[in-house]
């Protein structure tokens, strides 16, 4: 047990170090990158897929065309240019989609835009996939705009268009709101999970939902309109993805309480990976975009291992919904990764990568919370059953199932607070000791049980019946009118039931009783009424013995 606690603490320390390292790196990125223009997706635009020219090695310009479905690869340093229309109005922007490509824009040799280029010799460069907008200066009509591009293996540009800033910003807001809304809902679901369950598994699941929501939220091009430095947002997006993996692994580990060694090792690896990635970036061995590939490899590996572990618990009813949630999330994440790497070749918008991730996460959360809801209902029923059992145990007599002395006291306390007229009847068996001594205690128990049954037949529909001692019973009735007549009638009915029972009984019931009445408005305590009934009962016992 002690070793397990030490291992768990070590796991949390590694996770904390990873988070701190990421925060330091994000701060470093913010100081080493040049703030760029605002980027966002475009709607109202004019496509300019043709009319472009590329500079060859011999400094000649040859015609080229590219579009969303046929992007222009940027595997090295190249230059392309476009002749802006003579009739173009002022306030236009040249927009295109860039994947991991650095872009500088010039008009008549004067630089007007710089994107993806960092300060000095910093190794941090290129910031993933997004649409960018190059504001064109006034009176640029009829001039060439030249783009100097640089990239690596997965770099390209596509989908060039001319648009206005108004359309540019309007579409940003439209795209931003639904994604923000879903992310907030997911985070709230995570918080509800903590509030409802208050255990480690729920806490880490909520943290996982929060980090994935942050990943999706910052991966959207619209959010970058609100921030000045895109590299910082891109770094947060990547490392939110990195952090979501160990958090989900810890959730599975805490929830299933199985395969702890495998999951702990996988969690440590997933914590160390982003730290090594940061070192590689700072050393210039890799770049931020290539870190996404590493995160995806780690994600796929974790999905396979977690899927294998969860499937082994599929026969256990309480884990079914969680397993369905894991399988759903795994399926949508794999589909999202497929969309990430193959959308360009298929001519599909890469936004589906984020959409499928959000759908998977949302469906997973809904399935999880259906399971939590069902488990809570089942748990509530169990608690109610236990509460009913213990209440019955605390306030009922085990032998006769009548109310016990504690229940009798509670009833007296209740009626002391009301002005309800009462009839209290006390009963005492005369022959219990004789039967116990001659026939045994089992015979005595049978006599007590039979007496209780007779009392229930006579009074159960209109009275409170208690066994308050070995051979003593009390019946409390309410009577708003003619309490004396009601008492006599009820006792007469009881005597008839006893007479009928004694005809065939092996152990006849010989019982004495006495009753007392609390009238409407009478301020006498109920216990005093009981004492009066008890006094009359003992008077009857003396008469029966004589």
């Amino acid at each position: 047990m002690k070793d397990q606690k030490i291992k768990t603490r070590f796991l949390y320390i590694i996770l904390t170090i990873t988070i701190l390292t990421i925060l330091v790196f994000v701060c470093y990125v913010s100081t080493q990158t040049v703030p760029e223009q605002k980027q966002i997706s475009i709607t109202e635009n004019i496509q300019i897929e043709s009319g472009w020219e590329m500079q060859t090695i011999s400094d000649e310009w040859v015609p080229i065309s590219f579009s969303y479905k046929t992007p222009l690869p940027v595997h090295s340093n190249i230059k392309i240019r476009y002749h802006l229309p003579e009739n173009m109005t002022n306030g236009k922007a040249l927009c295109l989609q860039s994947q991991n490509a650095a872009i500088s824009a010039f008009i008549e040799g004067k630089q007007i835009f710089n994107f993806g280029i960092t300060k000095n010799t910093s190794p941090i460069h290129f910031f993933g996939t997004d649409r960018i907008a190059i504001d064109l200066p006034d009176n640029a009509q009829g001039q060439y705009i030249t783009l100097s591009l640089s990239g690596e293996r997965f770099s390209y540009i596509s989908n060039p268009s001319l648009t206005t800033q108004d359309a540019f910003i309007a579409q940003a807001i439209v795209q931003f709101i639904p994604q923000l809304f879903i992310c907030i809902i997911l985070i709230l679901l995570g918080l509800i999970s903590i509030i409802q369950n208050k255990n480690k598994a729920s806490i880490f699941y909520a943290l996982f939902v929060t980090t994935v929501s942050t990943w999706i939220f910052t991966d959207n091009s619209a959010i970058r309109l609100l921030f000045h430095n895109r590299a910082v947002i891109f770094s947060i997006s990547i490392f939110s993805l990195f952090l979501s993996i160990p958090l989900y692994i810890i959730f599975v580990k805490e929830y299933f309480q199985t395969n702890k060694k495998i999951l702990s090792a996988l969690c440590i690896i997933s914590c160390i990976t982003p730290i090594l990635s940061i070192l590689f970036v700072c050393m210039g061995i890799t770049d931020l975009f290539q870190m996404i590939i590493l995160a995806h490899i780690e994600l796929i590996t974790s999905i396979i291992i977690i899927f294998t572990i969860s499937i082994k618990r599929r026969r256990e009813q309480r884990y079914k919904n969680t397993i369905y949630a894991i399988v759903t999330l795994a399926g949508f994440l794999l589909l999202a990764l497929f969309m990430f790497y193959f959308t360009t070749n298929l001519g599909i918008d890469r936004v589906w990568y984020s959409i499928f991730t959000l759908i998977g996460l949302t469906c997973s959360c809904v399935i999880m919370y259906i399971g939590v809801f069902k488990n809570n209902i089942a748990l509530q029923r169990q608690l109610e059953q236990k509460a009913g059992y213990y209440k019955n145990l605390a306030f009922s007599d085990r032998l006769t199932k009548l109310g016990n002395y504690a229940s009798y006291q509670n009833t007296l306390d209740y009626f002391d607070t009301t002005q309800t007229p009462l009839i209290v009847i006390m009963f005492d068996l005369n022959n219990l000791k004789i039967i116990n001594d001659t026939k045994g205690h089992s015979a005595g128990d049978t006599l007590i049980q039979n007496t209780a049954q007779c009392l229930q037949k006579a009074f159960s529909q209109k009275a409170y019946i208690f066994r308050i001692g070995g051979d003593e019973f009390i019946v409390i009735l309410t009577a708003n009118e003619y309490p004396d007549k009601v008492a006599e009638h009820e006792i007469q009915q009881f005597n008839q039931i006893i007479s009928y029972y004694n005809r065939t009984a092996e152990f006849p019931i010989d019982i004495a009783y006495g009753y007392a009445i609390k009238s409407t408005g009478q301020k006498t305590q109920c216990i005093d009424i009981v004492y009066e009934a008890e006094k009359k009962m003992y008077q009857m016992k003396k008469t029966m013995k004589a």
Side-chain angles (χ1 to χ4, degrees), residues 428-477:
D428 186 272
L429 285 169
N430 294 323
N431 57 338
L432 179 63
K433 187 176 185 305
I434 297 172
I435 291 177
N436 279 338
D437 292 343
T438 58
K439 303 294 182 178
H441 283 278
S442 60
D445 289 344
T446 301
L447 178 64
I448 291 171
Q449 288 172 332
N450 291 338
T451 303
Q453 289 174 3
C454 290
L455 287 169
Q456 286 176 316
K457 286 180 181 179
F459 301 104
S460 62
Q461 299 299 320
K462 46 205 168 188
Y464 302 90
I465 308 171
F466 309 95
R467 181 190 176 206
I468 61 171
D471 56 0
E472 292 182 335
F473 301 86
I474 278 188
V475 174
I476 299 176
L477 299 96

Side-chain angles (χ1 to χ4, degrees), residues 24-33 124 127 229 231-232 235 288:
V24 171
F25 180 75
V26 171
C27 293
Y28 173 65
V29 168
S30 67
T31 62
Q32 292 296 312
T33 52
I124 304 165
F127 308 122
N229 194 323
V232 173
S235 300
L288 290 177

Side-chain angles (χ1 to χ4, degrees), residues 87-150:
N87 58 350
M88 183 184 71
T89 58
N90 291 332
K92 290 289 186 180
L94 173 63
C95 302
L96 39 79
Q97 180 169 302
S98 164
Q99 173 167 304
N100 207 34
I103 303 172
S104 291
F106 303 85
I107 290 182
E108 299 297 327
K110 182 180 178 181
Q111 188 176 36
I112 62 169
F113 182 80
N114 184 34
F115 172 77
I117 307 298
T118 56
K119 293 179 181 178
N120 305 323
T121 58
S122 170
I124 304 165
H125 57 287
F126 309 150
F127 308 122
T129 303
D130 202 2
R131 288 184 183 274
I132 64 172
I134 304 170
D135 287 330
L136 299 175
D138 292 342
N139 304 318
Q141 297 89 339
Q143 300 181 44
Y144 278 100
I145 178 169
T146 303
L147 304 182
S148 178
L149 311 170
S150 59

Side-chain angles (χ1 to χ4, degrees), residues 11-202:
L11 202 63
Y12 296 161
I13 290 170
I14 292 292
L15 183 61
T16 304
I17 292 172
T18 303
I19 294 171
L20 291 175
T21 305
I22 289 170
L23 290 174
V24 171
F25 180 75
V26 171
C27 293
Y28 173 65
V29 168
S30 67
T31 62
Q32 292 296 312
T33 52
V34 178
E36 63 279 340
Q37 302 291 331
K38 296 175 181 177
Q39 303 82 33
I40 198 155
S41 300
I42 313 301
T43 47
E44 299 175 12
N45 53 51
I46 303 170
Q47 297 296 321
I48 49 172
E49 298 172 355
S50 59
W52 288 88
E53 296 177 333
M54 178 186 290
Q55 189 178 37
T56 64
I57 299 175
S58 59
D59 291 335
E60 294 181 0
W61 293 92
V62 296
I64 60 166
S65 64
F66 61 98
S67 63
Y68 185 79
K69 293 185 177 181
T70 55
L72 177 65
V74 185
H75 297 166
S76 60
N77 297 330
I78 61 172
K79 284 186 179 181
I80 60 174
R81 69 182 185 182
Y82 180 77
H83 187 264
L84 298 172
E86 296 283 352
N87 58 350
M88 183 184 71
T89 58
N90 291 332
K92 290 289 186 180
L94 173 63
C95 302
L96 39 79
Q97 180 169 302
S98 164
Q99 173 167 304
N100 207 34
I103 303 172
S104 291
F106 303 85
I107 290 182
E108 299 297 327
K110 182 180 178 181
Q111 188 176 36
I112 62 169
F113 182 80
N114 184 34
F115 172 77
I117 307 298
T118 56
K119 293 179 181 178
N120 305 323
T121 58
S122 170
I124 304 165
H125 57 287
F126 309 150
F127 308 122
T129 303
D130 202 2
R131 288 184 183 274
I132 64 172
I134 304 170
D135 287 330
L136 299 175
D138 292 342
N139 304 318
Q141 297 89 339
Q143 300 181 44
Y144 278 100
I145 178 169
T146 303
L147 304 182
S148 178
L149 311 170
S150 59
E152 296 177 350
R153 181 180 176 185
F154 296 101
S155 303
Y156 67 79
I157 61 170
S158 65
N159 203 22
S161 61
L162 289 173
T163 187
T164 62
Q165 281 289 350
D166 290 341
F168 185 63
I169 295 173
Q171 183 63 16
I173 297 171
V174 170
Q175 286 195 345
F176 173 72
I177 292 175
Q179 203 155 343
L180 174 63
F181 178 75
I182 294 174
C183 290
I184 291 173
I185 292 297
L186 290 173
I187 292 172
L188 289 176
L189 286 174
L191 292 175
I192 291 171
S193 175
I194 295 177
I195 294 169
Q196 282 189 335
N197 298 288
K198 296 179 182 178
N199 54 40
K200 287 183 180 179
S202 299

Side-chain angles (χ1 to χ4, degrees), residues 194-461:
I194 295 177
I195 294 169
Q196 282 189 335
N197 298 288
K198 296 179 182 178
N199 54 40
K200 287 183 180 179
S202 299
I203 291 171
F204 281 102
Y205 186 76
L207 291 173
F208 162 74
V209 171
T210 303
T211 52
V212 174
S213 298
T214 304
W215 165 35
I216 298 301
F217 178 69
T218 51
D219 191 54
N220 189 293
S221 59
I223 188 61
R224 294 171 190 133
L225 179 65
L226 305 176
F227 291 88
H228 198 44
N229 194 323
R230 183 170 181 260
V232 173
I233 302 301
F234 186 67
S235 300
I236 292 173
S237 178
I238 292 175
F239 288 110
S240 296
L241 171 60
F242 268 117
L243 277 178
S244 66
I245 299 170
L247 291 173
Y248 199 70
I249 293 169
I250 295 175
F251 156 69
V252 173
K253 173 177 169 286
E254 295 292 340
Y255 187 82
F256 287 113
Q257 292 292 315
T258 186
N259 298 95
K260 291 186 176 181
K261 290 183 178 179
I262 296 173
L263 292 172
S264 296
L266 185 62
C267 184
I268 291 171
I269 292 170
S270 63
C271 287
I272 293 173
T273 302
I275 297 175
L276 294 177
S277 300
I278 289 171
L279 291 176
F280 291 157
V281 169
C282 294
M283 293 168 62
I285 299 174
T286 185
D287 59 41
L288 290 177
F289 179 74
Q290 290 170 336
M291 288 168 60
I292 296 179
I293 301 171
L294 182 62
H296 287 167
I297 293 171
E298 187 178 314
L299 182 62
I300 292 171
T301 305
S302 302
I303 287 173
I304 293 171
I305 293 174
I306 291 172
F307 178 80
T308 304
I309 291 172
S310 61
I311 285 298
K312 290 180 180 178
R313 310 298 292 269
R314 67 186 182 277
R315 295 178 185 270
E316 299 180 45
Q317 186 65 35
R318 62 179 178 145
Y319 293 132
K320 277 192 174 181
N321 277 80
T322 304
I323 292 168
Y324 293 153
I326 290 172
V327 171
T328 301
L329 181 61
F332 275 100
L333 284 178
L334 291 174
L335 188 57
L337 293 177
F338 174 82
M339 301 302 290
F340 182 85
Y341 288 102
F342 299 101
T343 47
T344 304
N345 296 333
L346 297 173
I348 303 173
D349 196 331
R350 183 168 282 180
V351 72
W352 285 100
Y353 163 64
S354 298
I355 290 174
F356 277 114
T357 304
L358 270 180
I359 292 173
L361 189 61
T362 305
C363 292
S364 175
C365 283
V366 170
I367 294 170
M368 276 285 292
Y369 288 115
I370 289 173
V372 169
F373 184 70
K374 288 168 64 178
N375 289 339
N376 285 345
I377 290 176
L379 181 62
Q380 185 65 29
R381 286 177 179 171
Q382 289 177 1
L383 292 174
E384 288 175 356
Q385 288 174 355
K386 285 184 178 180
Y389 170 75
Y390 288 118
K391 183 178 179 180
N392 186 57
L393 197 64
F395 294 104
S396 67
D397 178 63
R398 293 187 65 181
L399 181 62
T400 63
K401 308 305 179 185
L402 299 176
N404 62 10
Y405 190 81
S407 178
Y408 155 72
Q409 288 286 2
N410 286 346
T411 305
L412 290 186
D413 291 342
Y414 167 74
F415 281 116
D416 277 335
T417 63
T418 70
Q419 297 297 319
T420 307
L422 296 177
I423 302 170
V424 177
I425 310 174
M426 179 172 278
F427 297 87
D428 186 272
L429 285 169
N430 294 323
N431 57 338
L432 179 63
K433 187 176 185 305
I434 297 172
I435 291 177
N436 279 338
D437 292 343
T438 58
K439 303 294 182 178
H441 283 278
S442 60
D445 289 344
T446 301
L447 178 64
I448 291 171
Q449 288 172 332
N450 291 338
T451 303
Q453 289 174 3
C454 290
L455 287 169
Q456 286 176 316
K457 286 180 181 179
F459 301 104
S460 62
Q461 299 299 320

